[in-house]
Amino acid sequence: MLVRRKSSRLEEERQAVEQQVEDAFKLQSAGNEASDVALLRRNSSAYLPPNLGDNLRVAKHVIQDVYSLQELYERQHFVENVACAIAMTGVLLVILDNEYVVNKSSKLALRIANSVLTKILLSLIGWRFILERRILVRRNVLPPNVTVFRMPKQLMQLALELAVCFIIVPPGTDGSFEVREWKYFTDDGSCGAPFVVRDGSCYLEYVYPFEILGLFSLLRLYMIPRVIRNVSSFASYHTSYLGALHRVDTMTPLFAIKCFLQSHPFRLLLAAFSGTLVITSYALAIVEAPVNPNLAPLSNTVWLVALTMATIGYGDVVPVTTAGQVLLVFGGMVAGILLIAALSAALFALLRLDDRDKRFIHSLRLQQYDCELNQACASTIQTAWRRFHEFKPGTHPYRKRKENSVLFREMLFA
C-alpha cells in the first residue's frame, strides 16, 4: 500500500512536470520568452538537458526516465526495510527458541513462523536483486539487455545473501549432537574440570541441542547498515546524481554511516553499542550454558561482554567453548574496539573548536591585546608625567641628561 501511494504521488508529479514542459514549449513557439524562462527554471524541470530545442518528445522521455529511476529507488528502499524487519524478527524468534521457550508445541510454532518468514525474506532478497539490476540499467552502468551471468559482483552478493538467510532450524527437528574440543596435552593423565582425558590429551565434551544452530541467523545483521542508509537523507536519485558528478557513491551504506557519524555521532554509537552488547550477551549465554555454569546467567555474560568491549579484562569469568570465544572476539573485542575508537573520535570532534569558536576566541584575544596596549601606554604617560614634575630647575645639565636617559629607559621598558 505504501509503495502504491508513493508511485501514485510520483506519477502525479511526473505528469505535472510534463505539463509544465508542454506549456514552456508552447510559450516558446509563441515567442513569450519571459514566461518560458520562468517555467523552465522550476526545480522540477531542472533535470532537462540544455540543448533540447523544440523536441518535446525527447523532453518527456527524459522526465519519464528520471521519475521511473526515482520510483525504482523508493521500491528498493521499501524492500530492504521490510527484509531487515523480517530478518530481525527471525533473530528474535531464534533467541526465544533457545533461551526462554521450553514447551515442544511452542518451539514448533516458533520454528514454523521462522520458516515462513525465511521464505518471505528469500523472495525479498531476489526482488531486491531485480530492482538493483533495473537501477543499474537506468543509470547506464549496465547495458539494457545484460544477462545475469554478466553481473558477477551482484550475482556473488545475491548467492551470499541467500546462503546466509537460508540457515534455519526446520520445524520438527529434535534431538542434540555431541561436541568434542581438544584443549591441550597432559603428561600426568589428569585434567581439571570440566575437561576429560582421552589419549593423553584433555578434551572438552558437551552436548548442544539442534536449535542452537539457529544462532547462525545473527549473520543477518548485515542488513542494518542498509536501513541506516535508507532512513537518511542521502538515499535518493538527487543525491545519487550529484554524487556521480563528484565521483562519490552516495548509495553505499558506508557513506550514510559516515554522514550519520558526522551529524548524530552519539545516537548512532549508543544504538550500536547497546545492540552489540545485548545480542552478543544472549548468544554467549546460549553457547556457554551446557558446559560453563558461570556464564549461564545473562548478567554474567553482559558483564563479560561489557568489559571486553571496554578493553578491560578481570579474568573472573571467561568463555570455555570455541564458539563462545569466537563470539566474544568478534562481538566483544572487534566491535568494542571499533565502537570505542569511533566514540573517542566523536568526543574529540565535539571538544574541537569550530570556526565560530575560533573567531570568538580571536576577538577575545584582540580585546585582551588592546587592553594590555592601553595599560602600557597609560603607564608610559604616567612615568613621563612623573619625571617631568620631579625635575627641578637649575640642576646640573649632566644630571638632567642622566635623568632624561633614565626616563627614556623607563618609557622604553614600561
Side-chain angles (χ1 to χ4, degrees), residues 119-169:
K119 292 180 180 178
I120 298 174
L121 179 61
L122 295 177
S123 62
L124 289 176
I125 292 174
W127 190 11
R128 180 190 175 276
F129 174 76
I130 296 173
L131 291 175
E132 185 178 6
R133 177 185 174 277
R134 293 179 181 177
I135 289 174
L136 294 177
V137 170
R138 289 285 185 179
R139 293 178 58 186
N140 295 324
V141 178
L142 296 175
N145 298 324
V146 63
T147 59
V148 178
F149 299 101
R150 292 188 178 181
M151 303 168 56
K153 181 179 178 181
Q154 290 79 12
L155 190 61
M156 186 178 299
Q157 182 180 357
L158 174 64
L160 186 60
E161 290 188 18
L162 292 176
V164 167
C165 297
F166 185 75
I167 302 175
I168 59 170
V169 179

Side-chain angles (χ1 to χ4, degrees), residues 121-371:
L121 179 61
L122 295 177
S123 62
L124 289 176
I125 292 174
W127 190 11
R128 180 190 175 276
F129 174 76
I130 296 173
L131 291 175
E132 185 178 6
R133 177 185 174 277
R134 293 179 181 177
I135 289 174
L136 294 177
V137 170
R138 289 285 185 179
R139 293 178 58 186
N140 295 324
V141 178
L142 296 175
N145 298 324
V146 63
T147 59
V148 178
F149 299 101
R150 292 188 178 181
M151 303 168 56
K153 181 179 178 181
Q154 290 79 12
L155 190 61
M156 186 178 299
Q157 182 180 357
L158 174 64
L160 186 60
E161 290 188 18
L162 292 176
V164 167
C165 297
F166 185 75
I167 302 175
I168 59 170
V169 179
T173 303
D174 196 8
S176 59
F177 60 95
E178 184 179 355
V179 179
R180 180 184 299 176
E181 297 180 6
W182 179 87
K183 291 301 179 180
Y184 54 89
F185 292 105
T186 178
D187 295 331
D188 54 359
S190 62
C191 297
F195 305 108
V196 295
V197 180
R198 292 184 183 276
D199 300 330
S201 300
C202 294
Y203 288 87
L204 182 65
E205 295 181 352
Y206 50 93
V207 177
Y208 274 149
F210 279 114
E211 58 261 22
I212 202 171
L213 297 177
L215 290 179
F216 284 102
S217 62
L218 293 176
L219 298 174
R220 300 177 182 180
L221 296 175
Y222 76 92
M223 297 184 180
I224 295 180
R226 292 178 179 174
V227 178
I228 295 176
R229 178 200 62 190
N230 296 337
V231 299
S232 66
S233 59
F234 301 98
S236 64
Y237 170 76
H238 308 283
T239 55
S240 176
Y241 177 73
L242 294 176
L245 293 178
H246 294 83
R247 296 182 180 180
V248 177
D249 191 2
T250 61
M251 301 307 296
T252 58
L254 181 60
F255 179 78
I257 291 176
K258 290 191 292 185
C259 294
F260 260 104
L261 285 175
Q262 292 293 329
S263 57
H264 307 288
F266 296 103
R267 296 180 186 177
L268 182 61
L269 291 176
L270 180 61
F273 188 86
S274 303
T276 305
L277 177 63
V278 172
I279 293 176
T280 307
S281 300
Y282 269 107
L284 188 61
I286 291 172
V287 299
E288 290 288 326
V291 68
N292 194 355
N294 294 327
L295 289 179
L298 186 61
S299 58
N300 291 348
T301 56
V302 171
W303 167 256
L304 176 61
V305 174
L307 291 181
T308 307
M309 294 179 71
T311 65
I312 301 173
Y314 291 131
D316 50 352
V317 285
V318 293
V320 178
T321 63
T322 303
Q325 293 170 358
V326 171
L327 278 173
L328 194 61
V329 166
F330 287 98
M333 294 179 62
V334 177
I337 290 173
L338 292 177
L339 292 176
I340 293 298
L343 181 61
S344 302
L347 287 175
F348 281 112
L350 180 64
L351 297 176
R352 186 180 58 186
L353 297 176
D354 55 5
D355 294 336
R356 292 180 298 179
D357 297 336
K358 291 179 180 179
R359 288 195 297 267
F360 176 71
I361 292 177
H362 181 66
S363 62
L364 287 180
R365 288 178 178 175
L366 287 179
Q367 291 180 1
Q368 185 179 2
Y369 174 76
D370 293 338
C371 182

Side-chain angles (χ1 to χ4, degrees), residues 396-409:
H396 197 273
Y398 175 75
R399 182 177 296 177
K400 182 178 179 181
R401 289 195 300 270
K402 184 177 180 180
E403 291 178 355
N404 290 336
S405 62
V406 172
L407 174 62
F408 177 75
R409 286 198 301 271

Side-chain angles (χ1 to χ4, degrees), residues 43-62:
N43 294 329
S44 301
S45 60
Y47 301 100
L48 297 179
N51 299 321
L52 283 179
D54 296 332
N55 197 342
L56 182 60
R57 182 180 59 82
V58 177
K60 287 186 176 182
H61 181 69
V62 171

